[in-house]
Amino acid sequence: MANTMREATLKTLGLGTVLDIFRNGKLPATAGGLVDRVFGKAGSRGSLVVSGANGIVGAGKSMQLGSRLRPFDVPVVALDFPGTPDGIGMQYPGLVRGFGREQAGRIMENVISLRYDGTHLPERLNGYKPRFLLEAIPEVLDIKKKHYKLFRSSYPKIDIRSVTSGFPSSQLGVGIAHPAFPHEINKIWEIVESKPSPGTQLFWALGMIPIPVSDDWSFVLDVLFCGLMAAGTRYHEASNMPYWKMDKYIRKHLGPNPFRAHDVIGAKGANFLTWSCLHHCGKNYGAVFEPTRELVERKESGQNWYPMNHFRPLVDWSLEGEEEEEFKTWILGPLYQMTSLLLREKRSHLSHMNAIGELCAQFRHGILAAIRRLGADTVLDLVKRYHKLHPEAAKKSWYPDVFGTIEGADWQQLYVNAEHDGNAGVITISRESYNSDVDAELNRAIDWLKGEGIERVILTGDFHLSTQMIGADTSEFYAGLNDSKAGLKVAKSWSQTARRLHDEFKVSVGFVNGKRCLGGLLELLTHCHYMVALEDAELGLPEVTLPVVPGMEGCHWPFRKTDAKKWPKLFELLLTGRPFKAKETVGWLADYAGPMDKAIQKTWKIVTGGAHGLKMRKVKTGPLKGLPKSVRGMKSPDDPALEATRKAIVDNVRESCGATLAEALDIQSKHAAGFMTGPLCRKGRIGAEYTKTIVV
């Protein structure tokens, strides 16, 4: 019997828990097995049909699914009207960039373009034995229903999913697979179905991220993203602030640029979709969603939100204190009210709801994480102030009581979960970048496992929302650009958390289950007694390219665990920023690298005390001797900034490795914080992001 802090999101897909994966020694499902269930056995496979395939969504998903189904010989039939622009062909350059010309050609060979008149399906379609229809035609309910009737009359057993951004399944009569933009690369799908289906599980097995949501208008993503547009256009009506200026302040406080995003997607289509979502939500949920006059007009005209060739830098200005507070009230107030509706209707697992805002709507912090940071009282007060500005919104769809459970585990563990079977525990991280929220949740997970008496633990990704570990969230460093104490706090506190994995468990295993593990998250996993990785996973410390100095003990901890003969490899890792395949790092970074099932089984043997054949590499606690004064074979870069950053990293390595383990934590933290306030970091990528995002 397993105990868990909160429900694993993997379980919502009918795939069990992460602990089950390790206990069973394999993944809960395979792409090959699920392809057989959805499309038929090899030699007699049916096809995936994408209707509306020349549109933005249809073309993007034809390529994304086509590239993944090509190895299984599943044909992709791209169906659309005669005379529509060749959206499929426009995807080819992107395929070449991603897969190379030869592989891109093979993917395109497997995509069959057919045309039809909208009332009769082409006879050639029969030869491809349609098994699954992904419908991506315009957002008009009657047209969609006629489309499904047409397919069902010819193929009664076909499985149908709509990519609709707004209509519930109950209105359409089919299941929902709503993809997030951009459609060629974003792997998130909002799924509406009565129970987890083989099709949804196949999406997961193909490396995508299906997220079950409830059958309500506009699901989760478009309540947040279209709701943000509603809030922005309403503030424009109240203040006459230009849309590009609102984007700057929305980006500062939330992360996305909603008006610019509509123009990039294509204002004509995006304006209609946003209007459609808000129109139906307004009818069902009240004035907080109601489309503004400006949005209605642009739905008709298809006009861009940003004027062409405008001179915004020449007329820029900043809001004063009270003005900015009023702006936040207009924008955040309705968003928090809309979130209360999502919570009231239980539209998804709270971790799902939070992740959708980050992964799809580009919120810097998920909407629930942002609310948690503020606290329920502050949120209630902000919505109250919003209702004074927009009284009609207070009449419907405001549920303040839902924030009363904010102290519960579902709210408190949005990114990090823990489970155990009484002997071994698993901690899973579902966010691809490490930030202060993850850090706090990781500490709570460790505390919980310790309280449960667990001394053996695996730390890994969640096998669902996080398909890779890309390092620290660089927005966490913004405060440190101007205040060394803020930078020192981040570097020191995160390092202290990492050390708990080494100091407070009898055995800890870091497991890299995704395609890469970089930066701060790699530093975190190296603190485990063992590190196991997929053999082709990329392991790297790219901080030198940002530039920053690694501050989560990457400049001394791996050296203390590694034989001196391998120190040049660690210097190469630190000073070039180039990643290594995990199988190339065995013995000096990873302890084992192999294919998925073998890596899972090895991890379970280690953590349960089985015969795993590996020797634990001890961390040397005293000063290290024999560190080279120069790095052989490392060419001096032409870029002075890169050379100076390398010197700063080498200085950190020498000083922190030259001290005791106890002393090194403060030393390496001070180096990282000091570099952050210097000119190189401020002029680099993080400084540029800070200026663009925060300095408005």
Side-chain angles (χ1 to χ4, degrees), residues 221-436:
L221 169 55
D222 283 309
V223 167
L224 295 174
F225 189 72
C226 298
L228 182 58
M229 278 294 286
T233 55
R234 188 158 284 114
Y235 178 72
H236 169 78
E237 287 187 345
S239 67
N240 204 34
M241 178 183 279
Y243 299 109
W244 60 265
K245 187 67 182 182
M246 278 193 289
D247 261 358
K248 294 181 77 170
Y249 274 98
I250 291 172
R251 182 174 59 201
K252 174 181 177 179
H253 293 292
L254 286 171
N257 291 324
F259 296 101
R260 182 60 179 162
H262 277 67
D263 289 353
V264 170
I265 295 169
K268 184 175 181 179
N271 291 350
F272 176 81
L273 288 175
T274 294
W275 170 84
S276 177
C277 288
L278 293 174
H279 168 72
H280 290 291
C281 283
K283 290 201 312 186
N284 285 277
Y285 300 118
V288 70
F289 290 99
E290 188 176 332
T292 60
R293 177 176 51 82
E294 182 76 6
L295 181 57
V296 173
E297 290 176 356
R298 293 194 185 226
K299 178 264 292 189
E300 300 293 341
S301 68
Q303 180 183 349
N304 279 6
W305 298 91
Y306 279 41
M308 298 298 289
N309 299 319
H310 60 96
F311 298 103
R312 63 177 189 240
L314 301 181
V315 294
D316 205 356
W317 78 98
S318 296
L319 294 175
E320 300 299 329
E322 290 186 6
E323 293 175 317
E324 190 164 356
E325 286 303 310
E326 183 172 305
F327 173 86
K328 288 165 61 177
T329 300
W330 275 107
I331 302 300
L332 299 178
L335 270 183
Y336 296 153
Q337 180 175 349
M338 293 169 189
T339 303
S340 79
L341 172 67
L342 299 179
L343 293 165
R344 171 78 172 196
E345 292 183 338
K346 299 180 179 178
R347 291 209 176 188
S348 66
H349 190 294
L350 264 60
S351 292
H352 286 160
M353 191 184 300
N354 190 68
I356 285 170
E358 290 186 352
L359 298 175
C360 307
Q362 299 300 299
F363 289 4
R364 191 174 301 112
H365 304 287
I367 191 69
L368 300 187
I371 288 171
R372 187 178 66 185
R373 285 185 173 207
L374 286 176
D377 291 342
T378 301
V379 169
L380 297 182
D381 181 65
L382 195 149
V383 177
K384 183 178 179 181
R385 285 186 277 126
Y386 166 65
H387 288 160
K388 290 181 180 178
L389 299 171
H390 186 203
E392 290 298 310
K395 296 179 180 179
K396 197 172 183 180
S397 300
W398 171 227
Y399 304 102
D401 291 347
V402 298
F403 301 113
T405 60
I406 201 168
E407 297 301 324
D410 287 348
W411 270 93
Q412 292 299 308
Q413 298 301 128
L414 297 170
Y415 302 107
V416 181
N417 194 25
E419 50 188 319
H420 72 85
D421 64 359
N423 178 42
V426 178
I427 298 174
T428 54
I429 299 177
S430 65
R431 196 174 198 267
E432 293 187 344
S433 58
Y434 197 88
N435 70 355
S436 55

Side-chain angles (χ1 to χ4, degrees), residues 60 62-71 91-108 184-185 187 206 515:
S62 294
M63 295 299 98
Q64 189 182 56
L65 292 169
S67 63
R68 287 168 165 80
L69 292 172
R70 172 68 181 83
Q91 298 292 323
Y92 179 66
L95 284 180
V96 173
R97 289 192 298 271
F99 296 95
R101 191 168 299 278
E102 181 179 353
Q103 184 65 13
R106 291 179 179 175
I107 293 169
M108 292 296 288
E184 311 88 22
I185 59 173
K187 298 181 292 185
L206 291 172
K515 56 188 175 182

Side-chain angles (χ1 to χ4, degrees), residues 57 61 134 139 161-166 175-181 183 188-192 203 209 211 213 218-222 273 277 360:
V57 182
K61 289 308 170 187
L134 187 67
E139 292 287 279
R161 293 291 184 273
S162 176
V163 304
T164 180
S165 63
I176 309 296
H178 173 224
F181 181 85
H183 304 293
I188 291 89
W189 302 72
E190 288 182 297
I191 302 293
V192 178
F203 278 13
I209 307 174
I211 297 178
V213 296
S218 295
F219 321 120
V220 174
L221 169 55
D222 283 309
L273 288 175
C277 288
C360 307

Side-chain angles (χ1 to χ4, degrees), residues 520-691:
L521 281 163
L522 178 60
E523 293 175 272
L524 177 72
L525 264 62
T526 61
H527 281 75
C528 294
H529 298 120
Y530 299 88
M531 190 167 76
V532 175
L534 301 187
E535 56 191 348
D536 289 327
E538 293 186 341
L539 308 181
L541 295 172
E543 285 87 342
V544 69
T545 66
L546 295 176
V548 290
V549 170
M552 211 163 169
E553 305 206 275
C555 286
H556 77 98
W557 192 275
F559 288 87
R560 295 178 183 276
K561 289 184 69 174
T562 305
D563 187 272
K565 293 179 181 178
K566 299 296 185 180
W567 287 349
K569 289 289 188 182
L570 291 172
F571 272 117
E572 185 177 349
L573 193 74
L574 284 162
L575 301 182
T576 67
R578 292 191 300 269
F580 285 79
K581 294 290 187 183
K583 59 188 175 186
E584 300 170 347
T585 74
V586 173
W588 57 274
L589 193 60
D591 294 284
Y592 177 86
M596 179 65 83
D597 285 358
K598 288 186 177 180
I600 290 171
Q601 293 159 16
K602 179 70 72 172
T603 299
W604 190 243
K605 285 181 180 178
I606 296 170
V607 82
T608 57
H612 54 80
L614 301 179
K615 183 178 180 181
M616 184 187 294
R617 293 183 291 133
K618 300 291 186 180
V619 177
K620 300 177 181 68
T621 59
L624 301 184
K625 297 180 180 180
L627 283 166
K629 295 182 179 179
S630 61
V631 182
R632 292 180 181 179
M634 188 76 66
K635 293 174 62 176
S636 295
D638 296 330
D639 182 0
L642 177 56
E643 186 170 11
T645 304
R646 285 181 172 179
K647 182 181 182 304
I649 292 173
V650 170
D651 288 345
N652 191 4
V653 171
R654 289 192 180 130
E655 190 173 344
S656 54
C657 287
T660 66
L661 182 64
E663 296 167 335
L665 190 148
D666 284 334
I667 292 170
Q668 64 94 37
S669 299
K670 289 176 182 177
H671 272 276
F675 186 87
M676 211 177 295
T677 58
L680 290 176
C681 188
R682 294 185 65 85
K683 291 178 181 178
R685 192 183 310 173
I686 295 171
E689 290 173 356
Y690 169 77
T691 300

